[in-house]
Amino acid sequence: MSTSDTIADTPVAGGPATPAPPRRSPAVPRPRALGAGAAVLAALAVGHVVVTAFPVDERVQAPFVRTAAVGETVELRYARVTAGEPTGAVVLDPDDGTLLATPGVWLTVPVTIDALGQPRALGFAELRGGDGRTYTVFTSGRSSFLPGTAQPGIARYATLRVEVAPEAVAGAHLRLGLEQKDQRRDDVADIDLGLTPADADAWAAAEDPVLAGPPSDAPPEEP
């Protein structure tokens, strides 16, 4: 025992003994604080697993693809779309007094558009070829799709034309949508054109021009 402890515990003459100061116990974390910390860690861990396991950004940004075949109507948010029988050749007649030749194949597809709710102008079109390539169809240039504005209750008729390599014909799919530059989170029609290698061979040798006339609210005349 130390001298200080002896002095502190020894009574002083003429007065009461001075008690030694109490010893403090080590601080113990409160259960409430521990529980909150564990909950935060658990939430972070679960959140990390969810984000890693589910690529939310990719799924949310992807378009809603509606599939169909030639002659079937595709129900989209903004319109009903139907693709007719495609045709092809090495020469295109755009019905403007000129003829356009190609070393590949001109593919044309008649499209009928029935707008829903309000006037609509479809601005997106592309051909996904059987060769694995995507052929963009612009609103101007050699490959184009210019349907104009379709009014609700009045069918709109237009012809899509696209210049492709012969090997792209068999197995080709046509995609149509509303916005030219942004199809995220919106309906897009994906139409199987039902084309075969025999179609590709026949069209690559066909020199009689295929017609791609202007859009109209009147149905095209039967050939």
Side-chain angles (χ1 to χ4, degrees):
M1 181 181 292
S2 67
T3 303
S4 60
D5 289 340
T6 304
I7 294 173
D9 293 337
T10 303
V12 179
T18 304
R23 296 181 180 179
R24 293 185 178 181
S25 301
V28 178
R30 289 176 295 178
R32 193 170 186 178
L34 287 175
V40 171
L41 290 174
L44 290 173
V46 172
H48 177 70
V49 171
V50 169
V51 171
T52 302
F54 301 98
V56 176
D57 288 345
E58 293 181 6
R59 294 195 305 179
V60 169
Q61 302 298 334
F64 302 105
V65 179
R66 314 299 184 188
T67 59
V70 168
E72 296 178 350
T73 298
V74 188
E75 294 281 346
L76 305 175
R77 174 187 63 81
Y78 41 83
R80 297 185 185 94
V81 177
T82 308
E85 289 290 338
T87 58
V90 296
V91 181
L92 177 78
D93 180 0
D95 200 25
D96 61 0
T98 65
L99 295 176
L100 300 177
T102 177
V105 169
W106 281 109
L107 173 64
T108 65
V109 183
V111 178
T112 304
I113 304 164
D114 292 294
L116 298 176
Q118 65 186 59
R120 307 287 189 178
L122 271 61
F124 169 72
E126 68 180 21
L127 187 88
R128 297 201 168 189
D131 57 355
R133 298 170 59 188
T134 297
Y135 296 82
T136 303
V137 182
F138 298 99
T139 54
S140 62
R142 288 172 66 90
S143 297
S144 66
F145 181 53
L146 294 165
T149 301
Q151 301 293 333
I154 303 175
R156 185 73 171 171
Y157 303 91
T159 299
L160 176 142
R161 72 190 200 198
V162 57
E163 187 177 17
V164 300
E167 55 268 24
V169 172
H173 282 228
L174 174 63
R175 284 199 167 191
L176 299 172
L178 185 62
E179 297 294 335
Q180 180 182 10
K181 296 182 179 180
D182 188 0
Q183 297 84 49
R184 294 176 298 176
R185 295 172 290 180
D186 206 353
D187 285 354
V188 170
D190 185 297
I191 302 167
D192 184 351
L193 297 179
L195 299 175
T196 67
D199 294 316
D201 292 342
W203 293 347
E207 297 183 354
D208 290 336
V210 289
L211 178 65
S216 174
D217 291 337
E221 298 180 2
E222 294 294 332

